Amino acid sequence: MLESAADNASILMIDFGLWIGLLVSARLLNPSRALDRMIFGTTAGSLLVIYVFWRWHDTLPRLSMSAESLWPHLFFTLEFIAVVYTLMSIVILFRSIDRSGQADRAEREMRVRGTYPAVDVFICTYDEPLEVIERSILTALELDYPDFTVWVLDDTRRSWLRDYCLEAGARYITRADNKAAKAGNLNNALAVTSASTNAPVILVLDADFAPQRHLLKRTVGLLADPGVAIVQTPQFYYNGDPIQHNLLATQSMVDDQRFFFDVFQPAKDAWGCAFCVGTSFVVRRDRLVEIGGFPSEAISEDINLTYTMLAHGYQTWWLNEKLSCGLSAEGIPEYITQRSRWCLGTIQVALLRDGPLFGRGYSAIQRLHYVHGILNWLCKPFLVLLLIAPMMYWFAGLPAFEADYLAFLRYGAPAILGQTIYMAWISRSRTLPLFMEATHAIVSFAVSATLISAVVKPFGRPFKITDKGGDRSAPKLRWKLALTFGLIAFGSAASIAWAFLSPYAASEISSLDYFNLLWAGISMLIAFIAFVACFELPRGDKFFPVNEAGALALGGDDHAVPCHVAALSTSAVELTWTTAMHPPAEGAQPWLYMERLGWVAVTVAAATGRTTLAHLHPTFEQRRRLVTWLFGSPPDDVAETVRISGAVAGLLRRGFRGR
């Protein structure tokens, strides 16, 4: 007993010392320096390699055709895939590049020479409502660039959109069918514009993405390098994704793509393997013509475009600047559909005869980077097994691996500490343990099903868009997903209770039991976070905080009362009064003056104290100015780094108070 206590103390002291050492390293090392990234990455990777060797050597039973053997071997196989993906990620992150300096020089050179290549702006749309697509159209028309034409590529053949484009000043393109989905839409526009403007540069925007005024000046000049075919910029969002929103963590938890856009793509760019992400990129027309247009063989036309360009010797550069902003998926089903489509598209491109695995013209590094992208999706089934493993142990008697808690403290805990602290360091606080696992767990079942179906039928399925916009004012329960994670959370909790209350429970908890009790607790937390996220909160108009002086004309005597414009959306305004006065009654229809819009007709919706909410009734020209005012610059109310206290507080409010 004394020896066991001494072992416990010794291992815990080693883990504690390692934890302190990793934290000190995170403070002393700088993730912007290549040598520091290599040092910290190698340290974290080494701990992971030691863990894998221990798993392989000490925790697997002899392979046989029995559940007791096949289950832990299946678990280890998927775990090994996740480890390989992580190790490849660490190596990729050894490098990074920031092209803002090159963009500065290219922009300056265009300005000095006065040579601005003409640009055709392609806005791809399929069935989005006007309140979504107008943001892209109107902000694109206000781009600060001498020579460009805005083309709206309508793949739904809407006459009202054609009329809107005519009034707004954009040009309209449609086609008779939807063959080849988005790639077909783009290729149709490529052919139409070649007979008209034939601009040498094309900017591609999705219908929900609003560009900043200087996007073209920051990107077009980089295409002067003959080896560069595409300049891609990151995606930012006006709204929290459904998981951030439903957990009340929009301002404290980053979306799952932030790390990819802000950290991974600059690293991939340094290796020459950054790739197009479908919107907010510029591409050279001559390079498109050379490769035969936008590739349409796979549903992920964006990554397919990059790798087709790579096979022809042309790169995609990543300019890591906030130059556009769009709508994230607004509901859990759309969120899952989007990720499943990305997964299937990645697999399809891999299987193409001319793709990065089997085609010619690719370097070994480029092929390995694509394998890394595939492994990202192949990791998702491991999350499923990770969540159900404790229940398999307690209720079926099948351990995922034979290990007591002391052995795990010796080999597993250092690997987890190393990865957790390294990821927080390299990501500059863009990862949040447990919350990030829950985010990936929400899509893990659908992605796993997609991977299985791709084995049988990788091609031939219809392209599914991500629905955006529309009425989301009512709360919704995604009951199938909630039931799944509710059962996992309940089953994990029941596992813990079963360990102590079962009539078959041992009089003394074994080391293996202790290990699986801890595992059940972690599984329960992850499943509970995912469960709470399945209860969707309503969404209303996106209000932007503003700080503008205004005036309200309350009657017909032209007397205007000063007020303060506190917040604005495209359809409503929140006013506060600068002087004590009786607020206008609900239903009143005064006129509101704002310097940027002039006099706007409004209808009072609600008035409480010194705050009044009113609906806006702008003219077409006023709405144009309003949309470009609000959406021309990205907001800063969606988190770009994590705040643990805010995320936990939001979870507790949702989980135990329901709001």
Side-chain angles (χ1 to χ4, degrees), residues 39-50:
I39 291 172
F40 208 158
T42 300
T43 301
S46 298
L47 294 172
L48 199 55
V49 170
I50 292 170

Side-chain angles (χ1 to χ4, degrees), residues 352-421:
L352 294 175
R353 180 177 298 177
D354 297 327
L357 295 190
F358 306 114
R360 297 180 180 180
Y362 300 100
S363 68
I365 292 294
Q366 291 165 353
R367 296 182 196 273
L368 284 172
H369 270 261
Y370 203 86
V371 169
H372 175 262
I374 296 172
L375 291 177
N376 170 59
W377 299 110
L378 293 179
C379 289
K380 298 299 184 282
F382 174 61
L383 259 175
V384 175
L385 301 193
L386 194 70
L387 290 172
I388 67 172
M391 291 182 288
M392 294 289 289
Y393 173 77
W394 289 107
F395 297 132
L398 298 174
F401 53 90
E402 295 279 353
D404 59 37
Y405 72 92
L406 282 178
F408 189 80
L409 285 174
R410 183 179 287 115
Y411 298 104
I416 292 175
L417 287 172
Q419 284 307 300
T420 302
I421 297 173

Side-chain angles (χ1 to χ4, degrees), residues 451-466:
L451 290 169
I452 293 170
S453 65
V455 173
V456 179
K457 187 181 179 182
F459 295 94
R461 280 184 270 175
F463 184 92
K464 293 183 179 180
I465 66 164
T466 303

Side-chain angles (χ1 to χ4, degrees), residues 283-405:
V283 57
R284 288 177 53 153
R285 184 185 289 264
D286 57 349
R287 304 306 185 213
L288 282 171
V289 172
E290 183 179 342
I291 67 170
F294 291 89
S296 59
E297 299 89 349
I299 60 175
S300 290
E301 84 295 328
D302 42 17
I303 193 169
N304 196 7
L305 173 63
T306 284
Y307 272 85
T308 303
M309 289 291 188
L310 284 174
H312 285 75
Y314 305 122
Q315 286 190 354
T316 296
W317 278 6
W318 184 264
L319 180 60
N320 200 27
E321 297 180 3
K322 187 186 286 189
L323 297 173
S324 68
C325 208
L327 279 175
S328 177
E330 296 172 286
I332 293 290
E334 295 83 4
Y335 184 87
I336 293 173
T337 296
Q338 189 180 62
R339 271 64 181 176
S340 298
R341 186 179 71 240
W342 294 346
C343 170
L344 180 60
T346 302
I347 300 299
Q348 286 181 345
V349 174
L351 297 177
L352 294 175
R353 180 177 298 177
D354 297 327
L357 295 190
F358 306 114
R360 297 180 180 180
Y362 300 100
S363 68
I365 292 294
Q366 291 165 353
R367 296 182 196 273
L368 284 172
H369 270 261
Y370 203 86
V371 169
H372 175 262
I374 296 172
L375 291 177
N376 170 59
W377 299 110
L378 293 179
C379 289
K380 298 299 184 282
F382 174 61
L383 259 175
V384 175
L385 301 193
L386 194 70
L387 290 172
I388 67 172
M391 291 182 288
M392 294 289 289
Y393 173 77
W394 289 107
F395 297 132
L398 298 174
F401 53 90
E402 295 279 353
D404 59 37
Y405 72 92

Side-chain angles (χ1 to χ4, degrees), residues 95 99 102 189 290 295-296 298-299 412 415 523 550:
R95 294 183 178 181
R99 297 201 183 273
Q102 290 171 280
E290 183 179 342
S296 59
I299 60 175
S523 175

